[in-house]
Amino acid sequence: MILILCPMRVLVTGGSGLVGRAIQHIVKEEGGGKEGEEWTFLSSKDANLMNMEETRAVFQKHRPTHIIHLAAMVGGLFKNMRVNLDFWRNNIYINDNVLQAAHEVGVVKVVSCLSTCIFPDKTTYPIDETMIHNGPPHESNFGYAYAKRMIDVHNRAYFQQHGRYYTAVIPTNVFGPHDNFSIEDGHVLPGLIHKAYIAQKEGKPLVVWGSGTPRRQFIYSLDLARLFLWVLREYNEVEPIILSVGEEDEVSIKEAADAVVAALGFKGEVVYDTSKADGQFKKTASNAKLLRYLPNFSFTPFNKALKDTCDWFVANYDTARK
Ligand SMILES: NC(=O)c1ccc[n+]([C@@H]2O[C@H](COP(=O)([O-])OP(=O)(O)OC[C@H]3O[C@@H](n4cnc5c(N)ncnc54)[C@H](OP(=O)(O)O)[C@@H]3O)[C@@H](O)[C@H]2O)c1
């Protein structure tokens, strides 16, 4: 018998964003790519994935066998609260186009990206993979949450109707180099880093939005990238999998702010603006399923990952997304 090894052509949508750049780093600079794999990283300049014809064209051009689907309209609490309709429509279009075009060109595996912030607001803890559809999401981000939940519906339906192994991962809050450090529109950690950087420069207090009491699990983008490669190559379930640090690693926003202060060496006062929304109080997720597969996976310690991210931001201030 002659065994013909087909090359694995991996197309990464959203390859220019926070998570996409981390996967590029692991694949290209840390030897994470394997022989026989071809990697292509797309940005919105290559194709607007909200448009089906552009999506089909870029998939036909690259003929991927595997896809990591990251492209999405993404933003922090305050942007979500402002434009729920845009989050719903843009993400629904992108996901429907990507999954259908993948099916049409015969992609054998797609790994899409959900988020722990799409889980029901009223829930028991810890949250696990079986609970995605158990009740309404937090009202602050219902557009994004429902659009993301529909990826799981897509995946189950592509499997049922076409036998496709399209799956999804569920990361917690991600942070790292190349994040969106916008104070108005970004996530809490990059927003805090940017605010602390400016406060330090101007000799002003660091104003943290909200009470500081909500709790979050943060995953470093490079850890998430390593886990994505494992899911792509070895995880064979259609059911999604939570990619998160442990429940014991959850931190309050106040603890996160204190860590940013320490990482940047900020010397000023820290004040909490309680007139600003807190968002969902917590979303504590269980990584038990991940640990059953990868009991020895080692996450970068939060303070080290945060220091590296702050150093990156300071070194790249002029060009960083903000
Ligand atoms: N960041 C988090 O904390 C977090 C947490 C859980 C899950 N996730 C999920 O992880 C994935 C990656 O998030 P991220 O934080 O890396 O986001 P990001 O930094 O904002 O990057 C978004 C990516 O999507 C691309 N994109 C956006 N709209 C597009 C369109 N219409 N057509 C084609 N490409 C488009 C962007 O391209 P351009 O660079 O050209 O704009 C960019 O590459 C998303 O699915 C997100 O929902 C993120």
Side-chain angles (χ1 to χ4, degrees):
M1 187 176 71
I2 302 172
L3 190 65
I4 300 172
L5 286 176
C6 296
M8 184 161 141
R9 287 187 301 277
V10 188
L11 191 66
V12 182
T13 73
S16 52
L18 163 66
V19 181
R21 295 289 293 251
I23 296 176
Q24 284 200 48
H25 179 84
I26 298 294
V27 166
K28 294 179 180 168
E29 282 159 53
E30 290 195 9
K34 287 191 175 163
E35 214 182 308
E37 291 177 357
E38 287 168 26
W39 288 79
T40 305
F41 293 85
L42 297 182
S43 77
S44 64
K45 293 189 189 73
D46 297 295
N48 175 8
L49 300 174
M50 283 171 57
N51 178 296
M52 186 54 175
E53 290 320 308
E54 288 191 36
T55 308
R56 273 202 185 102
V58 81
F59 281 30
Q60 276 159 5
K61 177 178 168 195
H62 294 288
R63 307 294 307 179
T65 59
H66 293 66
I67 288 180
I68 293 180
H69 171 38
L70 305 171
M73 180 175 178
V74 179
L77 169 66
F78 297 94
K79 185 173 179 187
N80 270 275
M81 286 167 64
R82 276 202 316 276
V83 289
N84 264 294
L85 176 64
D86 293 350
F87 275 98
W88 161 254
R89 293 191 72 227
N90 295 359
N91 287 320
I92 280 286
Y93 278 123
I94 290 174
N95 297 333
D96 188 51
N97 290 342
V98 165
L99 291 168
Q100 178 58 22
H103 171 61
E104 287 174 9
V105 301
V107 171
V108 293
K109 185 163 181 180
V110 180
V111 182
S112 299
C113 204
L114 312 182
S115 165
T116 50
C117 69
I118 71 165
F119 278 97
D121 180 32
K122 295 191 174 38
T123 181
T124 53
Y125 295 100
I127 293 164
D128 71 37
E129 291 84 353
T130 65
M131 295 156 77
I132 297 175
H133 304 284
N134 284 359
H138 192 262
E139 62 179 4
S140 58
N141 70 339
F142 68 90
Y144 175 82
Y146 278 119
K148 284 284 183 184
R149 286 183 188 191
M150 291 308 112
I151 290 182
D152 180 57
V153 174
H154 268 111
N155 288 345
R156 286 189 276 140
Y158 275 108
F159 180 69
Q160 187 197 61
Q161 221 168 306
H162 300 293
R164 293 287 192 207
Y165 279 88
Y166 295 173
T167 190
V169 299
I170 314 177
T172 51
N173 288 49
V174 189
F175 71 101
H178 303 284
D179 206 341
N180 177 5
F181 291 85
S182 161
I183 291 172
E184 294 292 329
D185 292 343
H187 289 109
V188 57
L189 218 42
L192 279 173
I193 293 170
H194 192 179
K195 276 197 278 193
Y197 177 87
I198 292 174
Q200 177 88 313
K201 243 181 161 171
E202 297 180 349
K204 291 188 175 155
L206 165 61
V207 182
V208 181
W209 290 351
S211 66
T213 55
R215 303 185 66 77
R216 298 289 181 264
Q217 285 155 301
F218 294 100
I219 184 166
Y220 189 36
S221 59
L222 295 175
D223 291 342
L224 179 60
R226 293 184 186 97
L227 290 170
F228 253 108
L229 296 195
W230 167 75
V231 171
L232 184 75
R233 294 171 185 143
E234 294 180 48
Y235 177 76
N236 291 322
E237 296 184 35
V238 171
E239 299 301 320
I241 182 166
I242 289 173
L243 303 181
S244 172
V245 298
E247 292 157 54
E248 66 285 0
D249 294 317
E250 190 173 53
V251 296
S252 69
I253 300 302
K254 179 174 185 319
E255 288 165 332
D258 289 345
V260 169
V261 164
L264 284 174
F266 175 71
K267 300 281 181 279
E269 188 191 356
V270 181
V271 294
Y272 289 83
D273 178 356
T274 52
S275 70
K276 291 277 203 295
D278 267 343
Q280 196 168 349
F281 176 64
K282 64 176 187 173
K283 324 167 182 190
T284 321
S286 162
N287 66 359
K289 182 173 182 179
L290 173 65
L291 293 188
R292 279 200 296 280
Y293 277 104
L294 293 179
N296 298 320
F297 186 80
S298 152
F299 288 95
T300 310
F302 178 64
N303 286 330
K304 157 128 185 44
L306 188 61
K307 177 83 176 93
D308 289 352
T309 305
C310 288
D311 289 350
W312 182 90
F313 180 66
V314 172
N316 295 278
Y317 184 76
D318 290 341
T319 51
R321 252 192 307 167
K322 54 189 186 300

